[in-house]
């Protein structure tokens, strides 16, 4: 059973679906310095697109016509720089010709010093004007980054060099950008699956399920092996899309150091990223990974790489000798390498760990403890105590009419005890998600809204019972209807709320087992209720027949009632046992036993 909106909810986008930095609207100021799109792959060589100008000389204030042309492309980014210092800032400013296709950006302190696309609409030609500044260098070269599609792009395509009058051309023209090539890394293919040998003795391992074999079709595996000044990392799991792990200072997404292995057209791309809140990851323009290898066989994605323990040149990379919670997630990816929100809760370690410390072999959980406790208490309350309490009040008044418990009728005491237990369990369970989330959850759909309604009715019901009129009071019948309708509404809403809650990723119940089991419980409860109703009707009719025939023999009436009471007690025993079986099944599923 899927929640509308959760099936298509997108949590994890790679930061680019179009051009530089993945913004289809072209507002890519983050790429002002490197001009590199962080698509997790290497740029193409040689370029297919060309830059041309209408002159080779300029003086202050001149307008130079600049053309970018070539096969269809979606995104672009154009700058002019000092030809003798191409790592320097953008030079001069631009003027647009067609505002539908291009827009001005400000890089550094120079206004309108770059031009980019406005949308990912395919184009073959772009025309703009460059305005020479008063403090222009002697030689200026035009550079362009062009994105044909997500994984196909060229960075810093060299264009013509224009010079001020009476100045010699630069002695070292740009033929290829060494900066671009430095962002790529050698990639090799793994010949065999990873091994858990050495976990806990030579390397730090995380496995789910616990102690699983990394070569199996259901094992998620992450290992860290410390070397002299670096750490060798292995990650594998059943995924046709992507695998990712992140280092975090807490158990919440946001401000985290992430590493992704993405399957694109049966090739795996490895990249680093920074997570900000629950938004799409921000991939790095430069990659700090070495010795990258991968393998994709029988639906199992594996990748390995090496990175230095400390990377002072990369601000978003954490030092690996720190203490962190570790997240491990998987999900789907499109053919273009675009990754989507993971369809289930990431695996999170139970505590923070130092992956370069003493080797350990640990597991993790996809369901936080407080959320598991929330689900368990709600199942106890609404599968056992409420259901049994309602059956007792509805059908056992005549059975236990003459039996007393603590000075009052037994059926009433049992009913009251079960209902007060329900109020206590529901109240405790109700606050646990708020403690875990630190507030209201925006990701849980209608579940929290219906949960609040159930909680309100749960509190209202015993308060109303405290003002119950005496048995023969004129308003007793009205109270009975209100009491019944409030309780019935609460039970119906509770069942709907549990159906919705079982499909939330945080609880991580097996699907569709959870839905079918809940349907089975509802059918079980309704079936027992209908059976007792039919039995009560038949018993009443039997007594009426005895009275109509004027055979009012006390022994006959007593015998009929005794048979009915015995039947109800047998049915109640079976019902309680059945409810306990359903409850145990849910509790085992929640705790993954």
């Amino acid at each position: 059973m899927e929640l509308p909106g959760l099936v298509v909810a997108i949590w994890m986008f790679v930061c680019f679906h179009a051009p530089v930095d993945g913004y289809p609207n072209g507002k890519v100021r983050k790429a002002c310095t490197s001009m590199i799109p962080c698509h997790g792959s290497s740029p193409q060589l040689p370029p297919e697109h060309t830059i041309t100008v209408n002159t080779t000389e300029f003086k202050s204030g001149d307008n130079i016509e600049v053309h970018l042309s070539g096969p269809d492309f979606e995104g672009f980014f154009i700058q002019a720089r000092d030809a003798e210092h191409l790592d320097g800032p953008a030079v001069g400013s631009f003027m647009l010709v067609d505002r539908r296709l291009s827009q001005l950006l400000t890089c550094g302190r120079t206004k309108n010093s770059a031009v980019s696309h406005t949308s990912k609409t395919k184009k073959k030609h772009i025309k703009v004007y460059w305005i020479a500044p008063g403090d222009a260098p002697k030689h200026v070269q035009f550079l362009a980054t062009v994105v044909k599609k997500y994984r196909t792009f060229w960075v810093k395509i060299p264009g013509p060099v224009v010079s001020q009058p009476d100045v010699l051309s630069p002695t070292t023209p740009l033929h290829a950008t060494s900066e671009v090539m430095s962002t790529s890394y050698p990639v090799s293919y793994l010949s065999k699956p990873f091994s858990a040998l050495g976990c806990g003795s030579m390397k730090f391992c995380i496995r789910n399920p616990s102690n699983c074999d990394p070569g199996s079709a259901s094992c998620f595996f992450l290992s860290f092996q410390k070397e002299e000044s670096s750490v060798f990392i292995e990650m594998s799991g059943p995924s046709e899309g992507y695998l990712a792990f992140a280092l975090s200072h807490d158990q919440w997404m946001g401000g985290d150091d992430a590493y992704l292995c993405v399957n694109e057209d049966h090739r795996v791309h490895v990249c680093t990223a920074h997570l900000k809140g629950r938004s799409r990851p921000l991939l790095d323009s430069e990659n700090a990974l070495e010795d990258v290898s991968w393998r994709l066989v029988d639906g199992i994605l594996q990748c390995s790489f090496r990175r230095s323990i400390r990377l002072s040149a990369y601000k978003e990379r954490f030092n690996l000798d720190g203490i962190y919670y570790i997240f491990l997630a998987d999900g789907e990816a499109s053919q273009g390498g675009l990754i989507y929100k993971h369809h289930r809760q990431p695996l999170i370690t139970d505590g923070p760990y130092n992956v370069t410390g003493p080797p350990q072999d640990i597991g993790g959980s996809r369901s936080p403890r407080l959320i598991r406790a929330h689900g368990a208490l709600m199942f106890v309350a609404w599968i056992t105590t409420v259901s049994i309490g309602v059956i007792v009040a509805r059908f056992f008044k005549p059975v236990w009419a003459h039996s007393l418990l603590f000075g009052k009728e037994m059926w009433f005491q049992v009913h009251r005890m079960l209902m007060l237990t329900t109020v206590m369990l529901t109240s405790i369970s109700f606050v646990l998600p708020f403690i875990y989330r630190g507030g209201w959850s925006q990701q849980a759909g209608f579940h929290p809204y219906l949960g609040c309604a159930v909680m309100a009715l749960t509190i209202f019901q015993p308060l109303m019972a405290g003002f119950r009129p005496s048995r023969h009071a004129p308003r007793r019948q009205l109270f009975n209807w209100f009491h019944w309708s409030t309780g019935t509404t609460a039970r119906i809403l509770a069942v709907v709320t549990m159906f919705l809650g079982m499909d939330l990723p945080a609880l991580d119940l097996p699907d569709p087992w959870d839905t079918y089991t809940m349907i089975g419980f509802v059918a079980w409860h309704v079936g027992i209720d209908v059976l007792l109703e039919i039995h009560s009707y038949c018993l009443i009719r039997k007594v009426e027949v005895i009275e109509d025939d004027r055979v009012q023999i006390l022994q006959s009436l007593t015998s009929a009632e005794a048979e009915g009471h015995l039947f109800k007690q047998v049915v109640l025993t079976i019902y309680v046992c059945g409810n306990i079986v359903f409850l145990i099944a849910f509790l085992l599923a929640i705790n993954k036993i």
Side-chain angles (χ1 to χ4, degrees):
M1 182 174 179
E2 299 291 339
L3 282 176
L6 283 179
V7 179
V8 297
I10 298 176
W11 166 67
M12 213 180 188
F13 271 107
V14 260
C15 55
F16 319 105
H17 180 59
V20 181
D21 238 4
Y23 294 96
N25 61 11
K27 295 182 178 180
V28 291
R29 294 185 182 89
K30 288 186 178 181
C32 279
T33 301
S34 66
M35 298 185 70
I36 299 172
C38 311
H39 291 194
S41 62
S42 302
Q44 305 293 310
L45 285 175
E48 297 180 353
H49 304 79
T50 58
I51 307 171
T52 58
V53 295
N54 64 341
T55 183
T56 58
E57 290 188 358
F58 73 91
K59 60 181 181 296
S60 176
D62 281 356
N63 292 347
I64 296 180
E65 191 174 295
V66 182
H67 296 261
L68 173 64
S69 59
D72 286 349
F73 57 95
E74 295 181 352
F76 66 92
F77 192 47
I78 302 174
Q79 282 187 1
R81 294 190 179 184
D82 185 342
E84 297 178 344
H85 301 283
L86 289 173
D87 293 336
V91 173
S93 59
F94 287 89
M95 183 170 59
L96 302 179
V97 174
D98 189 346
R99 294 184 177 274
R100 295 173 301 173
L101 298 177
S102 56
Q103 63 181 325
L104 298 172
L105 297 178
T106 296
C107 286
R109 299 179 180 179
T110 308
K111 187 176 182 180
N112 301 334
S113 55
V115 184
S116 73
H117 55 283
T118 56
S119 70
K120 63 179 183 179
T121 303
K122 293 187 180 299
K123 35 204 158 280
K124 292 179 179 290
H125 178 267
I126 292 295
K127 176 183 175 182
V128 295
Y129 286 97
W130 179 71
I131 305 172
D135 58 349
K138 295 177 181 180
H139 309 284
V140 173
Q141 184 163 24
F142 294 96
L143 304 174
T145 289
V146 177
V147 176
K148 185 176 181 179
K149 59 180 182 179
Y150 180 71
R151 293 284 185 187
T152 307
F153 57 89
W154 295 262
V155 176
K156 286 186 178 179
I157 298 172
V161 176
V162 294
S163 305
Q164 297 188 35
D166 303 323
V167 175
L168 296 176
S169 299
T171 57
T172 310
L174 177 67
H175 295 290
T177 55
S178 59
E179 179 183 355
V180 171
M181 298 309 297
S182 68
T183 62
S184 63
Y185 43 80
V187 177
S188 62
Y189 186 78
L190 294 167
S191 60
K192 59 182 180 180
F194 297 141
S195 171
L197 187 65
C199 284
S201 59
M202 298 177 60
K203 54 187 179 182
F204 186 101
C205 297
I206 300 171
R207 292 192 272 177
N208 181 256
S210 297
N211 300 318
C212 64
D213 179 7
S216 69
S218 60
C219 182
F220 288 91
F221 177 79
L222 179 63
S223 72
F224 302 84
Q225 186 168 2
K226 183 182 178 182
E227 299 172 344
E228 291 184 2
S229 60
S230 63
V231 175
F232 185 70
I233 300 171
E234 298 173 326
M235 177 166 58
S236 70
S239 177
E240 296 286 353
Y242 71 90
L243 289 174
F245 80 89
L247 306 176
S248 178
H249 295 291
D250 52 36
Q251 291 183 296
W252 292 100
M253 286 184 57
D256 305 329
D257 180 11
Y259 301 80
L260 298 91
C261 298
V262 185
N263 173 20
E264 183 205 352
D265 299 327
H266 304 290
R267 293 184 61 86
V268 177
H269 297 274
V270 181
C271 52
T272 58
H274 182 68
L275 302 181
K276 289 189 176 181
R278 290 175 173 263
S279 61
R280 56 192 175 191
L282 303 175
L283 273 68
D284 298 315
S285 59
E286 296 180 321
N287 211 313
L289 308 180
E290 300 173 350
D291 300 333
V292 176
S293 300
W294 62 271
R295 185 173 187 261
L296 186 61
V297 177
D298 297 331
I300 301 177
L301 191 157
Q302 295 180 309
C303 62
S304 64
F305 52 88
R306 180 177 284 103
R307 65 146 281 189
S308 298
I309 294 177
R310 291 178 174 269
L311 292 169
S312 56
Y314 299 85
K315 295 181 180 179
E316 305 298 349
R317 302 278 72 77
F318 293 176
N319 294 330
L320 294 183
D321 54 2
I323 298 177
Y324 309 104
Y325 288 92
I326 303 170
F327 291 64
L328 182 59
D330 66 292
E332 298 179 355
S334 68
Q335 291 185 351
L338 182 67
I339 64 176
Y340 299 95
K341 178 184 177 181
H342 46 78
H343 59 277
R344 57 177 172 173
Q345 187 85 352
L347 182 76
I348 307 175
T349 57
D350 293 331
Y353 292 91
N354 180 356
V355 297
T356 61
Q360 297 186 54
D361 189 5
I362 64 172
S365 174
R366 297 185 184 274
S367 180
R369 291 176 180 175
L370 288 177
I371 298 300
R372 281 184 284 165
H374 166 75
L377 291 176
M378 285 299 186
F379 281 130
V380 172
W382 296 92
I383 286 182
T384 53
T385 57
V386 160
S387 302
I388 297 171
V390 169
I391 292 291
V392 167
R394 178 72 181 88
F395 298 104
F396 281 79
K397 290 180 183 179
V399 177
W400 295 336
H402 305 293
S403 300
L404 298 180
L405 182 63
F406 301 116
K408 292 197 174 184
E409 294 171 325
M410 179 181 289
W411 74 265
F412 177 75
Q413 294 286 50
V414 171
H415 172 74
R416 182 165 64 177
M417 178 190 67
L418 291 173
M419 291 309 179
L420 289 177
T421 302
T422 299
V423 174
M424 179 186 68
L425 294 175
T426 304
S427 300
I428 295 172
S429 177
F430 180 77
V431 302
L432 295 181
F434 290 96
I435 295 174
Y436 171 69
R437 294 286 182 186
W440 187 265
S441 172
Q442 300 295 335
Q443 311 293 324
F446 291 106
H447 178 77
Y449 297 97
L450 292 177
C452 288
V454 171
M455 186 71 250
L457 292 174
T458 302
I459 296 297
F460 178 71
Q461 186 76 329
L463 292 178
M464 180 171 58
F467 296 94
R468 178 183 58 179
S470 61
R471 180 171 300 179
H472 302 292
R475 289 178 293 180
R476 179 58 181 263
Q477 191 67 22
L478 182 64
F479 165 83
N480 289 343
W481 275 104
F482 268 111
H483 191 61
W484 175 85
S485 60
T486 302
T488 302
T489 302
R491 290 167 60 207
I492 293 173
L493 286 179
V495 169
V496 174
T497 305
M498 286 192 290
F499 267 115
L500 297 178
M502 288 188 304
D503 280 338
L504 293 178
L507 197 54
D508 191 37
L509 288 177
D511 187 56
W513 174 91
D514 55 348
T515 301
Y516 294 150
T517 305
M518 195 65 189
I519 292 174
F521 165 72
V522 173
W524 167 255
H525 176 78
V526 172
I528 293 295
D529 202 302
V530 170
L531 177 64
L532 289 175
E533 286 285 359
I534 293 174
H535 174 263
S536 296
Y537 174 78
C538 292
L539 184 61
I540 292 172
R541 291 294 301 160
K542 185 174 183 179
V543 173
E544 287 178 351
V545 168
I546 293 175
E547 291 179 347
D548 289 343
D549 291 342
R550 301 185 182 280
V551 189
Q552 287 187 308
I553 304 172
L554 182 60
Q555 188 176 9
S556 298
L557 287 170
T558 303
S559 175
E561 290 179 350
E563 291 176 6
H565 294 173
L566 178 62
F567 178 81
K568 287 182 178 180
Q569 290 173 343
V570 171
V571 170
L572 179 63
T573 302
I574 296 173
Y575 179 69
V576 170
C577 292
N579 282 23
I580 292 174
V581 169
F582 279 106
L583 177 62
I584 291 174
F586 279 115
L587 293 181
L588 291 178
I590 289 175
N591 290 280
K592 306 295 183 297
I593 298 177

